[in-house]
Amino acid sequence: NEVVEMWRRRLFRWFGSTGVVFIASSILQYLRPQEPLIIGSHPAFVSIDRSLLEDYAGSGLVFGILGGFRAVTANIVWLRMNEAWEGRNLAETEALIRLALLVDPRPEVFWRTGAHTIGFDMPVWRIRSSGGESVVNVGIQNSIRREQMFKAVELLKQGASLYPDNPTFPIEIGKVYLNSALDFEMTIQYFKQAWEMPNAPFYIGRLLARVMETAGRPHEALEVLREDLKKLPEDDPEAYIDIVRMRIAELELKLEHP
C-alpha cells in the first residue's frame, strides 16, 4: 500500500534507528484500507494490541522500549497529523489521528480533537474537493456529513469504552450529533448520560436544559435545572448558581404564561 509505505519511510526519518521505529512501522500495517483498524470497541483493546504488535515486531522487548517513549512518540505523530491537517489531506490526517491514539490512547485531547476533525472538518474538505456547496448536490452533501458524523461518533465511543467514567466522551458525542445533524434527541441522550455522572462538569446541566428547551421539552428542561440546583456547590463560582436560578425563573414564567 503506497500510503503505508510512504509513512513508514517518514517514520524512519523522524525517529531514527531506535526500537520505536519498528513498533511505529509495525503499527502502520494495521492502517491498510482493506484491514480493520486496531482501535476497536472492546475495552481491553490496548492489551490485545500489545500482544499483536509484539508478535508482529518479532520481539516483546521492542514494545517494552516504546513503553518509556509512548507519550513522546504519540506527540510526534500528532504533530505530523497537524501538518497533514493543514494540507487538508484527509486520508493521512485520519490515519495519523488513529495512529496517535493507538500509540497512546490516554490524552483526552487526541480523542476530542480527532473526533472534531473527522466530524466537522473532513465533510468540508470532501465537499470542497468535489466543487463546493454550489456544485455538489444537497443530498450528497448531507450524506457526506452524516458519514463523517458517524465515524466521529464511533471514534468517541471507542474512547468511552476505555474510559467509561469520563463524562467528556458522552458530551463530545452529543456535540457531534448536535453540530453535524441538529439531532436533538441523540444530543439529549448523551448529554443526560454525562450529566448523571458523579464527576460531570458544572455546565452540562445548563447545556442539557437548553437543548431540551430547543427540542420542545421545556418541562423536562425545568426539572433538570431544579435538580442541578440541588447538586451544584453554592460556594464555587464556576458553578454559576445565579445563572441556574435565573434560567429556572425564566422557564417557570414561560410555562406559566406560554
Side-chain angles (χ1 to χ4, degrees):
N1 181 278
E2 292 181 1
V3 173
V4 170
E5 292 305 316
M6 176 185 68
W7 282 109
R8 188 195 303 276
R9 290 193 297 271
R10 289 187 181 183
L11 283 167
F12 268 94
R13 292 202 305 271
W14 300 338
F15 294 103
S17 57
T18 67
V20 176
V21 168
F22 297 102
I23 282 296
S25 181
S26 299
I27 289 170
L28 288 173
Q29 293 294 331
Y30 296 98
L31 295 176
R32 296 180 186 275
Q34 69 269 25
E35 296 175 2
L37 290 164
I38 287 296
I39 297 177
S41 58
H42 197 286
F45 85 80
V46 174
S47 60
I48 293 173
D49 291 347
R50 192 171 294 185
S51 172
L52 288 170
L53 289 173
E54 287 175 358
D55 290 343
Y56 200 88
S59 170
L61 292 175
V62 177
F63 200 89
I65 294 172
L66 179 60
F69 296 97
R70 178 180 290 269
V72 173
T73 306
N75 283 329
I76 292 174
V77 172
W78 196 255
L79 288 172
R80 297 296 174 172
M81 184 281 294
N82 281 322
E83 290 183 8
W85 179 88
E86 289 173 359
R88 304 298 186 261
N89 189 319
L90 189 146
E92 290 185 17
T93 300
E94 182 171 353
L96 288 168
I97 287 170
R98 295 180 184 277
L99 177 56
L101 285 167
L102 183 57
V103 174
D104 189 357
R106 294 169 297 178
E108 188 179 288
V109 67
F110 286 2
W111 296 99
R112 186 174 62 249
T113 305
H116 289 184
T117 299
I118 291 170
F120 303 151
D121 296 342
M122 290 185 179
V124 177
W125 300 353
R126 290 178 61 183
I127 292 168
R128 285 181 180 172
S129 68
S130 299
E133 292 185 352
S134 61
V135 174
V136 180
N137 178 275
V138 173
I140 295 176
Q141 291 185 44
N142 291 337
S143 177
I144 288 172
R145 291 189 181 100
R146 289 191 68 82
E147 180 184 339
Q148 294 297 145
M149 176 188 75
F150 287 129
K151 290 178 76 171
V153 166
E154 184 59 33
L155 184 73
L156 289 166
K157 284 183 176 179
Q158 290 162 359
S161 72
L162 283 176
Y163 308 106
D165 298 326
N166 188 338
T168 293
F169 291 99
I171 290 172
E172 292 300 326
I173 292 172
K175 287 180 181 178
V176 170
Y177 277 116
L178 182 63
N179 294 322
S180 296
L182 288 179
D183 190 330
F184 296 130
E185 294 308 310
M186 292 301 291
T187 301
I188 289 169
Q189 175 184 322
Y190 282 99
F191 280 3
K192 189 173 183 181
Q193 179 183 329
W195 176 64
E196 291 174 345
M197 291 181 170
N199 57 338
F202 296 149
Y203 70 84
I204 191 59
R206 299 194 305 274
L207 193 55
L208 171 61
R210 180 67 72 180
V211 176
M212 284 178 164
E213 185 181 2
T214 303
R217 296 161 61 175
H219 290 88
E220 292 176 72
L222 181 58
E223 288 305 310
V224 166
L225 291 170
R226 285 172 172 167
E227 187 63 30
D228 218 26
L229 192 61
K230 299 176 185 176
K231 298 193 301 182
L232 293 173
E234 289 275 357
D235 57 348
D236 193 329
E238 293 188 3
Y240 292 102
I241 290 287
D242 291 340
I243 291 179
V244 175
R245 290 195 178 103
M246 181 183 69
R247 291 286 297 118
I248 289 172
E250 288 174 351
L251 270 174
E252 287 175 339
L253 184 62
K254 180 178 178 179
L255 292 173
E256 185 179 347
H257 304 287

